Amino acid sequence: MEKWNQTSNDFILLGLLAPNLTGLLLLLLIILVFLLALLGNSAMIHLIRVDPHLQTPMYSLLSQLSLMDLMYISTTVPKMALNFLSGQKGISFLGCGIQSFFFLTMACSEGLLLASMAYDRYVAICRPLHYPTCMSRRVCVQMIIGSWILGSVNSLAHTVYALHIPYCRSRAIDHFFCDVPAMLPLACMDTWVYEYMVFVSTSLFLLLPFLGITASYGRVLLAVYHMHSKEGRKKAFTTCSTHLTVVTFYYAPFVYTYLRPRNLRSPAEDKNLAFFYTILTPMLNPIIYSLRNKEVLGAMTRVFGIFSSKKE
């Protein structure tokens, strides 16, 4: 165990990777995933901004999802890579608070945004005549702003609470970023009240939106099944299956991690699950939305000149 100055306010991040050759190779793989996520999400934002065929509420929401994924993965990977390559595991008290705030903001905001995207598909397929009213530009902007504000407020409350907890034990966080639940075992006070707050917050920002998404897509899939147009049924099913794939990748590990009691959790399992939703998912989202979406592929042909051989 490394020596640590107990009078310091800083923390140690024990990290995800072992300091050996295998760890270095895994880090290089993570950096590759990070670069692919930056490229994919930046390209998606650019496509939606410049291509007139993508100027719809659904793609406005998708561009915000790409922006959140960019910030999401940038919150954790650079610091993890820097600590591994430098051999230093420390993170300042302020740096830990900033990292925690942005991570929680992106996590909560993205959950609400995915719910908005599910509502958009529900209205488009189940109530198409009401779509211009229910999903007007004004409503879309309100959904986006609401997701950011609610996510930020919730994140600020958790971060401020976590930074005001007295830490009288080791300041070594058994994680690769400042995840608040991973910090609680270091506290020298009973944190059951805060753990209850985490449960309530997770239920409000993750579980309830997930149940709403499930209900929306249940109605959508039922409507798709009764469609007379084979082409329309195929297009609707492809769009919905794409969204459901992203929703499953995002919500499943998050809900499993944060709704379990502390005595059923282990640091190793939490880190592995966090690797999935903080690093892999931001890289996979633009790939899923582009490869399974003819409109996005068409925009890539028009803007970047690729897939030209597949023009319709």
Side-chain angles (χ1 to χ4, degrees):
M1 179 67 68
E2 299 180 16
K3 293 183 180 180
W4 184 250
N5 180 8
Q6 294 292 333
T7 63
S8 172
N9 286 327
D10 297 345
F11 293 95
I12 288 179
L13 294 174
L14 296 183
L16 177 68
L17 307 173
N20 53 30
L21 181 59
T22 302
L24 178 60
L25 293 176
L26 289 175
L27 177 66
L28 293 177
L29 180 61
I30 289 173
I31 292 175
L32 176 62
V33 170
F34 174 70
L35 294 176
L36 289 174
L38 292 184
L39 177 63
N41 286 292
S42 299
M44 187 68 73
I45 293 171
H46 179 68
L47 279 176
I48 294 170
R49 186 177 65 87
V50 302
D51 192 277
H53 296 84
L54 302 183
Q55 303 299 315
T56 64
M58 183 182 80
Y59 290 107
S60 295
L61 295 172
L62 180 55
S63 69
Q64 290 298 306
L65 180 67
S66 293
L67 177 60
M68 289 177 183
D69 281 340
L70 272 176
M71 298 179 67
Y72 206 4
I73 196 169
S74 299
T75 300
T76 57
V77 172
K79 180 60 179 175
M80 179 177 66
L82 178 64
N83 281 5
F84 185 92
L85 295 174
S86 67
Q88 302 295 320
K89 297 184 177 182
I91 183 170
S92 68
F93 183 81
L94 178 60
C96 192
I98 292 173
Q99 188 181 57
S100 175
F101 172 76
F102 279 103
F103 167 77
L104 290 172
T105 298
M106 296 308 111
C108 297
S109 299
E110 189 162 326
L112 295 174
L113 192 73
L114 288 171
S116 299
M117 295 173 72
Y119 175 75
D120 172 83
R121 290 301 84 200
Y122 163 74
V123 176
I125 295 173
C126 298
R127 304 179 63 190
L129 297 179
H130 296 87
Y131 188 80
T133 303
C134 295
M135 281 304 298
S136 64
R137 180 175 179 81
R138 180 168 175 267
V139 172
C140 183
V141 170
Q142 288 175 342
M143 286 181 168
I144 292 171
I145 294 176
S147 297
W148 282 100
I149 291 178
L150 290 174
S152 299
V153 170
N154 179 68
S155 171
L156 184 63
H158 284 283
T159 302
V160 169
Y161 184 91
L163 295 182
H164 281 78
I165 293 176
Y167 296 100
C168 57
R169 302 175 188 173
S170 167
R171 286 181 172 262
I173 303 172
D174 196 357
H175 217 299
F176 60 90
F177 66 94
C178 287
D179 188 27
V180 175
M183 299 167 65
L184 296 183
L186 310 180
C188 54
M189 60 175 283
D190 191 353
T191 58
W192 74 269
V193 174
Y194 179 72
E195 290 176 36
Y196 180 74
M197 287 172 53
V198 171
F199 177 83
V200 172
S201 177
T202 303
S203 299
L204 290 176
F205 285 87
L206 292 176
L207 188 58
L208 289 182
F210 179 72
L211 293 176
I213 290 170
T214 303
S216 295
Y217 282 123
R219 291 286 304 276
V220 167
L221 292 175
L222 185 63
V224 169
Y225 178 76
H226 289 96
M227 280 184 177
H228 298 294
S229 169
K230 184 177 180 180
E231 184 64 28
R233 189 188 306 125
K234 181 181 178 181
K235 181 179 179 181
F237 182 78
T238 300
T239 302
C240 292
S241 63
T242 299
H243 284 255
L244 282 173
T245 302
V246 171
V247 166
T248 302
F249 281 167
Y250 180 78
Y251 276 103
F254 240 127
V255 172
Y256 180 72
T257 298
Y258 287 94
L259 286 184
R260 283 181 302 160
R262 189 200 289 186
N263 60 337
L264 297 180
R265 300 171 60 176
S266 70
E269 189 177 27
D270 285 351
K271 285 190 284 187
N272 290 333
L273 288 169
F275 169 78
F276 190 87
Y277 60 73
T278 62
I279 299 175
L280 280 185
T281 300
M283 183 270 291
L284 291 173
N285 282 352
I287 296 175
I288 293 170
Y289 276 110
S290 60
L291 294 182
R292 303 194 62 184
N293 190 311
K294 290 184 178 180
E295 292 177 337
V296 174
L297 290 177
M300 293 174 74
T301 301
R302 292 186 293 269
V303 176
F304 298 132
I306 58 178
F307 303 119
S308 55
S309 61
K310 298 182 180 180
K311 276 187 178 182
E312 298 179 353

